[in-house]
Each structure stands twice: as structure tokens, then as C-alpha cells.
Amino acid sequence: MHRNVVTALILALTVVFGYFAAHVEIRTIFHDLLPKGHPFIEINDKYNERFGGPNIVSIMVEAEQGDIFQPKVLQRIKQITDDLYLVPAINQFQVVSLASRKLRSINSSTEGIETKPMMWPELPKNQQEIDSLREQVLANPLVYGRYVSPDLRSALVTADFIDRLIDYEKLYDGIMHIAEKYNGDGVRVRVVGEPLLTGWVVHFLPETFHLFLLTIAIMAALLFVTVRTWRGVLLPMLAGVVSALWALGIASLFKVNFDPLIIVVAFLVTARAISHAVQMLAAFDDELERGYAPRDAAAKALVALFRPGMLGVVVDAVAVAIVAAMPMPLLQKTAFVGAVWLGTIAVSAMVLVPTLLSWVTKPHATAFPVDTNRWLLRPLLNLCGALVLGRRSVAVVVIGLLVLLGSGYYATRVTVGDALPGTPLLWPDHPYNVDAKAINDTFQGSDQMFVVVDGEGPNAMKEPELLTNIDNFQRYLETQPQIGGTVSVVDLIGPVNANLHEGNRRFEELGPTADINGELLFMYMQGADPGDMDRFVDTDFKDGAVTMFFRDHKGDTIRTAVSRIEEYIDNHPLPGNSQYKLAGGLVGVLAAVNEEVFARQVESIALALLTLFVLSAIAYRSTVAGLFYMPLVVMSNTITFAFMAWKGIGMNINTLPVAALGIGLGVDYAFYVVDGVKERFEETGDVMASIRGSLLTAGRGVLITGGTMIAAVLVWYASSLKFQAEMGLLMALWLSVSAVTSLLLIPAMIYVFRPAFVFGNGASHAAVKPAAA
């Protein structure tokens, strides 16, 4: 009677949640990636629409023969510039190129100083005008080297986008259409920019979905071969589907969007649901072999696995929920969805699966003719038993300790932030990374960071003492290997002053008074449109910016640069109450993210370990139980971080949620093995028989789920997204470590240390019986 009600209720809720799951929003929200409350983010949000935000796109137009000063190439530069104004969410005041009004030439005549756009609104009409344009570029330090390459073969077009208005799919389509439209016929067009990365992820969503389906299909096939029953395939898959629908439905109800980058987390959680279901099936089959009817066997399996199963679910859920302590909304949403998803396993795998098993009518029937248990699984488990019993158990424990120490040492080398140049989301030979390298090798750098100069009142940015400090600051910055170049309002004043002195470069310097600097800036601004000075100063000359160009945004690059910038600012304060404020732009935003990841990662691991200790101690009523699982979990994390250091995978906002799940992955299987030993020892009082028995039942579930999922997730290595491929390897590693430690290290530790929470009052008896055997 009760099983009918339980099943009907769960399936009814699944239908309801399934309806809402179908309407879950799959999209990236840029501000979800940013740590709330960080001073760098506050500066970026306040000034990014004026000084340039993190969503800048850089387009390099390259002449395959000769230089850019030929009609065909110049026309492409203008066409690309004009088309950019039509891309959705464009900040029209932040489109800069030779063909925009922003880049101006400075000329002196009998009538005074004249500034005018270099190549706007018309293209040069003849060779004489082209030659004049070349001379203007070479004479202008704001253009030559920054927007025209030193070898004159390439020109740069940059465009900033308004964060709150971005639709990444439309932006990606618009930019890529421009690049493809004007690429060819002797002109090479290369494109990079942070918004395009999200666009590429969205672009590959269909492939990701197909890989997900292929992975599930491989898992189903391997389960069928190893479990040999249809229930062994359908029920774990059903548990995964039910959990997914419940979690996504709840996310939809709470208006939580699902970011494409956390699809890997979704697979991990689904894998946990399948794993718990397979353990239930293994326990059910074990009870059938003891002669129980299906209904009784299902009830006994539920009772036997309730403690380790629920403990595993709760530890997993809490480990993921701890990620919510991170101040980034993306991680908080991931933590919410992940914790809810893992929590639903208590229903889908721990309640629904045994309930459905109670209706099995042919408990001993098999659908696959080859007895893989006899020819494959049992021999492997017997080998594990031989390795963890007797004197070999000490060797296993010692080897485990050495692995823990070695991986712990190497794990300290993991990089916070990106570990390699380019983007870790895509493969090194992907066109995006190829283009990024070409642009950064040609120009000062495509990644920008700005430092705000918060002046003391209007016209502060004209004061000689303040401008001299900025000038010295820029000179210092340009000596740093991480920084390719800088620009500020200081770079506008010198060329105007030199032109007043017949182009003599000796006079390319600041004016001696604020009034003179104001006059020089006024001369530069003649004929300028509103917004032309935005990237340098505000309208009343109170605040300005020093913009830096970086050739990569590796974690080490950003940390070193920020550290040296802060050190310089501390030692060279601005006059009066003026001050430098860090930092905006892409590099400033990434610096904030990296700081939060570094500050909170150790804290998150410590909280997860504390949770494991407390929950294990409560579940087994023993503090020893809380400590017993610690080496296993620590080893899981150190091996994971060591692997990340070896493969050049940085610890960033994308990898952090996956790393948090490693806490649970390192201990789930162990709970089942330990409880299996404990249950059998209560029946037999024989340590060796208890360990062997647990390995042949709980260990069988570990071997089936571990082997199945390891083989399945390796399919992800075929992904066009390098991030997904690496996370596939990471998952395979975690599952391998979890399976090996649960089948070898945990039984060996039980045999060597004879923990009282496993053997209870029989601990002393357990210590001598095997010796006499």
C-alpha cells in the first residue's frame, strides 16, 4: 500500500518539476561572474562605461602583402568600424580605430593648433592623401604602436560593450559576421574579446548536449554489460533523470538561470545519483542471493544503505553549498542548484529505486549472457581483498601516505587564475587563441586594466604636480614586463606642446601651470565631439584614468602587476586629497575574482572537511569515524590539485565548483565499503570475511559505477571546449582516486587500525582472530 503511494507521489512531483525544468533559463549573466563588494568591482561598475569595461572586443586588420596604407585595406578598416556601430549593446563612445573620430592628428599652422580625425568621415582619395595619413600615424604616439602596428602591416579596431545590455549570442553572431564578411582578398581579420568567449560556449552548446547524450548512452551500455539486468540500467538512469528534473524545476521556480559553463557540474551530480542507485542494486542483489523475496530484499537493502547513502548525500550537498560563501553570484547560484540537486538523490536513489525494486518479478533473470561478475568483477575484487589483508595491508597504507605527501607537495603549485596564455576555455589551436597570440604579439596587448585618478575637485587633472605623478607612474608601469603599454591624458598634452614649438620633440612635455595645461588640452579638443575625451578624463577634468595594456591575463601576471602597482602607489601618493583607485577593465575584474578565489578556497576546503568530520562523527557516534575519512578526502584534493598544476589548469571561477564537488567524490564510496564491513562483522565476528564480503557487494558497486563513469566521462575529451575536456579528465581522475582508495586504502586502514566505530565491542576479538587464521 505504502509503496504505491510513495511511487505515485514521487512520479507526480517529477511531472510537475519537469514542466518547470523545461522553462529553466540557460544563459550567462556577466555580473554573476563578479565578486560583489570587492573594491575593484565597485570601481569597474562606476567607471567602465567611460574608461572602458571588461567587455572590449579587439579586431586586427592585417595586410597579407605590403602595409595597411593601400585603398583596399583602409576601406576594410572603415567598413568594420562602421558595422560595429550596428552590433547590439555597443558603447558608441568607445569604438576606436583609424576610421573613428577618436584618433586625431595634431597639426600647427599660421592660424594655430588644429586637431582633426585622421580618417573620418572620408577615406583618402589619392596616393598623396594616403602618404599624408602615413606621416600622421608615424608622428602620433597615441596611434603608432597602439592602433597601427610598428611594422605598419596591421591596424587595430577596439569596441566596448555595455555589460547590462549584452546578449552574448547576438553579440557573437554580429562580431563573427563582420570578421567573416571582411576577411579575405589579401586582408586577414582577427578577433578577440571576453564577450566572444561566452559566445563560443553558447555556439558549442549543441555539441555539448550531444556529448552529454553520448556519455549517458555509454554509461547505460556499460551498466548493461556489468549488471546484466534491465533494472540495473533503467533504475539508475531513472534516478538520474528524476534528480535532474527536480533540481532544474526548483531552479526555474526560484528564477535561477543555468549557466552553460556549469553543465559539467550537472553531469557530476547526475553521476552521483546513478552511483547511489547502483549501490542500492548491488545490496538488493546481495539480499536476493541470501534467499529473500524481492520485497524483503528491497527493504533490507534500504535499511542497510540508509546511513552510508544519506551520509554521502548530505556531505556532497553541504560541500557544494559551502561554495555559496563565495561572493560571486554565479558560484552562489551553482551552489544552490548543486546542493538541491544532490539533495534530491535522497529521494530518487534512496527511496524511489528500492521502492521500484520491490516489484521485481524475475529477480534472478539476466539479460546479458556473459557472466561479467564471474569473469571480470569478482577476480578484480578478490585481488583487492588479497592486497589489503595480511602484511600487504601495511604496504598499501604506507604507499597511500607517500602518495598523499607527494601530491600534497605538488598541489601547492596550482595556479589561482589562468595558468597559460590565451583562454583556458578553448584549445590552443582554436582560432580565438591563434588570433589572441597574433594580436598580442603585434600590439601592446588586447587585455586592459584602468586605474582611476580621483582628483581633488574640478580641473584637478590639469595640475602640473598631479600630471607629473601620473607621467612617472606610466613610465614605471611600462618598465614592467607584464604591461605592454599605457595611456592617459598626459599623452595628449606633450604632442600639442611640441607642435606649438614647430614640432620640436624636446618640448613634448607638460605645461608648467594648470592654466597652460588647460590651454593645451583645449587646443587638442578643438573640433572634438562629446565623448571623444571619455577614455582619458571626465567632463570637468576632476577624474581621469591610466589605462594599461596586457598581453595575457594569467594569474601570475595579474598578481605581480597589481602588487607592483599597489607598491608604487603607496610610495608615490598623489598630491593633496587626490588618489589612485584600483581597478577596472578585464584585468581589474579578473584580479578581483582571483583574490576572492585565493582567499576563499582554503576556507571552503576547511569547512567541507569540518562538515565531513562532524557528520561522520554523528552518524557513527565516534570522533574516530570523523577522523578516519580525512586522509582519503585530503588525498582526493591533493591529487586533484597536483593534476591541475601538471596540466596547467588554473583555479578560477569556472573550475571552483567542480573542485568543491571533489570533497564528496573522495568519500562517497568509502561510506558504503565501511558500512559493509561493519554490518558483516556484526554477523560473523571475522575481520577478513567481513572485509572480503564488503568488497564483493559494496565494492562491486564501486567497481561498476567507477569503471562505467570513468570510461564514459573520457568522451568529454573530444569536446571543442578545452575546459570541458579538462573537466572530463578531472572527473575521471576523481572517480579513479575514489574507487582505488575505497577498494584498497580504506579496507587496508580498517585491517591495520581496527577502528572501534567499525568493530564496536568486538575490536579486541577482531585484533586476534585473523592472526590465528
Side-chain angles (χ1 to χ4, degrees):
M1 178 62 184
H2 293 301
R3 60 180 179 173
N4 293 333
V5 174
V6 169
T7 304
L9 179 61
I10 293 175
L11 294 181
L13 288 173
T14 301
V15 172
V16 173
F17 285 131
Y19 169 79
F20 289 104
H23 297 84
V24 70
E25 187 177 21
I26 301 177
R27 71 184 180 109
T28 295
I29 299 174
F30 178 76
H31 271 275
D32 283 356
L33 307 175
L34 310 182
K36 295 182 295 185
H38 194 286
F40 288 11
I41 302 304
E42 292 177 352
I43 291 296
N44 179 78
D45 289 346
K46 183 176 180 180
Y47 294 99
N48 66 47
E49 291 185 21
R50 176 178 296 275
F51 298 140
N55 286 307
I56 291 177
V57 170
S58 300
I59 303 176
M60 185 171 81
V61 183
E62 180 182 9
E64 294 181 350
Q65 297 292 331
D67 58 29
I68 64 168
F69 296 102
Q70 46 186 305
K72 176 176 61 178
V73 181
L74 295 176
Q75 184 179 32
R76 296 284 177 90
I77 296 170
K78 178 172 173 52
Q79 289 170 328
I80 289 171
T81 304
D82 291 344
D83 284 4
L84 279 171
Y85 288 106
L86 304 177
V87 178
I90 190 76
N91 184 342
Q92 297 195 4
F93 294 109
Q94 294 290 349
V95 178
V96 185
S97 79
L98 272 179
S100 73
R101 299 191 63 160
K102 303 291 184 183
L103 298 186
R104 312 175 69 84
S105 61
I106 306 170
N107 302 298
S108 57
S109 67
T110 56
E111 297 180 0
I113 297 296
E114 178 186 35
T115 65
K116 62 180 182 179
M118 287 190 164
M119 202 176 74
W120 183 92
E122 301 293 337
L123 290 166
K125 297 181 179 62
N126 50 50
Q127 189 60 46
Q128 182 180 356
E129 291 186 4
I130 291 177
D131 292 340
S132 175
L133 175 63
R134 179 191 287 108
E135 291 176 5
Q136 293 175 42
V137 167
L138 291 172
N140 193 327
L142 289 175
V143 180
Y144 181 59
R146 288 194 172 103
Y147 289 94
V148 176
S149 63
D151 62 4
L152 304 181
R153 293 189 58 193
S154 305
L156 197 64
V157 182
T158 62
D160 195 8
F161 293 83
I162 300 172
D163 301 346
R164 66 182 184 277
L165 301 179
I166 290 178
D167 181 319
Y168 288 100
E169 190 170 3
K170 291 180 179 178
L171 189 152
Y172 169 85
D173 290 340
I175 296 296
M176 296 308 294
H177 174 72
I178 292 173
E180 292 167 4
K181 180 179 178 181
Y182 297 112
N183 186 60
D185 190 25
V187 178
R188 180 69 181 269
V189 178
R190 302 179 185 273
V191 187
V192 298
E194 198 66 17
L196 292 178
L197 290 179
T198 303
W200 276 112
V201 173
V202 174
H203 175 75
F204 285 123
L205 265 180
E207 178 194 280
T208 300
F209 181 69
H210 293 150
L211 284 175
F212 191 91
L213 293 180
L214 179 59
T215 303
I216 297 297
I218 291 174
M219 290 174 61
L222 292 175
L223 282 174
F224 181 70
V225 170
T226 52
V227 181
R228 303 175 64 217
T229 61
W230 288 114
R231 65 175 179 268
V233 177
L234 298 178
L235 292 183
M237 293 300 166
L238 178 64
V241 170
V242 169
S243 285
L245 292 178
W246 281 41
L248 294 177
I250 292 171
S252 180
L253 283 170
F254 281 87
K255 306 297 183 184
V256 176
N257 62 292
F258 193 78
D259 193 286
L261 283 175
I262 65 172
I263 287 178
V264 176
V265 175
F267 177 79
L268 270 174
V269 180
T270 302
R272 303 319 303 146
I274 293 173
S275 175
H276 285 285
V278 170
Q279 287 289 348
M280 190 66 70
L281 283 158
F284 175 76
D285 290 340
D286 184 45
E287 298 298 338
L288 289 178
E289 290 180 5
R290 297 185 181 190
Y292 289 101
R295 186 164 182 170
D296 294 331
K300 284 186 168 294
L302 175 59
V303 171
L305 297 189
F306 184 80
R307 177 171 56 192
M310 291 302 295
L311 183 58
V313 167
V314 174
V315 169
D316 272 340
V318 174
V320 174
I322 287 171
V323 177
M326 295 279 187
M328 286 81 93
L330 173 63
L331 295 183
Q332 292 169 349
K333 291 178 180 180
T334 302
F336 172 77
V337 175
V340 169
W341 204 324
L342 285 160
T344 63
I345 296 174
V347 175
S348 65
M350 304 305 297
V351 176
L352 180 60
V353 169
T355 302
L356 294 178
L357 284 172
S358 68
W359 273 302
V360 169
T361 57
K362 297 179 180 180
H364 300 289
T366 57
F368 186 71
V370 180
D371 189 351
T372 49
N373 184 55
R374 177 183 177 185
W375 298 106
L376 178 63
L377 302 181
R378 188 176 289 272
L380 286 174
L381 294 170
N382 284 332
L383 175 62
C384 291
L387 290 174
V388 301
L389 298 174
R391 294 179 179 178
R392 295 188 185 93
S393 60
V394 177
V396 171
V397 173
V398 171
I399 292 172
L401 178 61
L402 293 176
V403 170
L404 175 61
L405 295 175
S407 60
Y409 170 76
Y410 202 75
T412 58
R413 302 183 183 183
V414 68
T415 299
V416 176
D418 294 343
L420 300 172
T423 174
L425 296 180
L426 301 168
W427 293 101
D429 60 353
H430 187 278
Y432 182 94
N433 277 326
V434 173
D435 287 355
K437 185 178 187 306
I439 291 174
N440 287 318
D441 287 346
T442 304
F443 291 95
Q444 295 177 335
S446 60
D447 299 326
Q448 298 183 18
M449 180 174 81
F450 65 80
V451 174
V452 173
V453 181
D454 186 4
E456 186 181 4
N459 295 312
M461 296 298 297
K462 300 175 183 177
E463 294 293 337
E465 188 178 356
L466 183 144
L467 291 174
T468 299
N469 189 298
I470 294 174
D471 188 27
N472 292 333
F473 182 38
Q474 287 184 249
R475 295 174 189 273
Y476 170 79
L477 292 173
E478 290 176 0
T479 64
Q480 306 306 312
Q482 299 84 12
I483 298 172
T486 65
V487 66
S488 77
V489 69
V490 169
D491 297 294
L492 305 181
I493 298 174
V496 176
N497 201 5
N499 269 275
L500 283 175
H501 293 83
E502 300 180 347
N504 190 333
R505 299 294 295 273
R506 292 178 58 189
F507 291 93
E508 197 169 288
E509 58 187 14
L510 298 169
T513 68
D515 289 340
I516 292 176
N517 286 323
E519 288 294 330
L520 293 171
L521 287 170
F522 176 76
M523 292 178 187
Y524 180 85
M525 293 168 60
Q526 289 184 79
D529 276 352
D532 282 0
M533 295 288 288
D534 278 359
R535 57 201 177 104
F536 302 110
V537 292
D538 62 7
T539 54
D540 60 1
F541 289 87
K542 175 185 178 296
D543 298 332
V546 178
T547 301
M548 290 149 267
F549 302 91
F550 290 73
R551 291 192 171 94
D552 66 68
H553 50 251
K554 295 189 296 182
D556 292 341
T557 297
I558 295 174
R559 273 189 300 279
T560 302
V562 169
S563 174
R564 291 178 178 175
I565 289 169
E566 290 177 334
E567 180 182 3
Y568 181 91
I569 291 173
D570 288 342
N571 295 330
H572 303 84
L574 288 170
N577 292 322
S578 299
Q579 57 182 318
Y580 290 110
K581 291 184 176 179
L582 275 69
L586 175 62
V587 176
V589 165
L590 291 177
V593 171
N594 293 347
E595 281 187 13
E596 290 296 338
V597 170
F598 180 78
R600 308 277 183 161
Q601 176 60 21
V602 175
E603 176 185 323
S604 296
I605 293 176
L607 284 173
L609 290 174
L610 177 62
T611 300
L612 172 64
F613 171 81
V614 171
L615 292 176
S616 299
I618 292 173
Y620 293 100
R621 300 180 183 178
S622 167
T623 55
V624 174
L627 295 171
F628 185 79
Y629 297 103
M630 290 293 176
L632 173 64
V633 176
V634 173
M635 181 185 294
S636 175
N637 278 270
T638 56
I639 291 177
T640 298
F641 292 153
F643 176 81
M644 292 174 69
W646 174 53
K647 294 293 291 182
I649 303 172
M651 181 64 70
N652 54 42
I653 193 171
N654 298 320
T655 58
L656 192 61
V658 186
L661 274 172
I663 298 287
L665 283 176
V667 75
D668 271 1
Y669 294 152
F671 290 143
Y672 286 110
V673 172
V674 169
D675 252 59
V677 174
K678 180 178 176 64
E679 180 187 357
R680 279 160 182 77
F681 184 78
E682 290 172 354
E683 296 175 356
T684 66
D686 188 326
V687 170
M688 287 188 170
S690 300
I691 293 175
R692 286 196 183 100
S694 181
L695 286 174
L696 291 175
T697 52
R700 179 170 171 267
V702 170
L703 202 56
I704 291 173
T705 55
T708 297
M709 292 177 190
I710 290 167
V713 297
L714 289 176
V715 171
W716 288 77
Y717 202 72
S719 174
S720 297
L721 293 172
K722 179 171 177 273
F723 167 75
Q724 287 183 349
E726 289 177 335
M727 291 305 99
L729 285 179
L730 212 57
M731 285 189 287
L733 176 67
W734 270 326
L735 291 165
S736 299
V737 172
S738 180
V740 170
T741 52
S742 297
L743 295 174
L744 293 177
L745 183 59
I746 287 296
M749 289 173 62
I750 291 174
Y751 183 82
V752 171
F753 299 115
R754 314 292 168 89
F757 77 93
V758 176
F759 299 116
N761 295 330
S764 59
H765 172 64
V768 297
K769 186 167 184 177

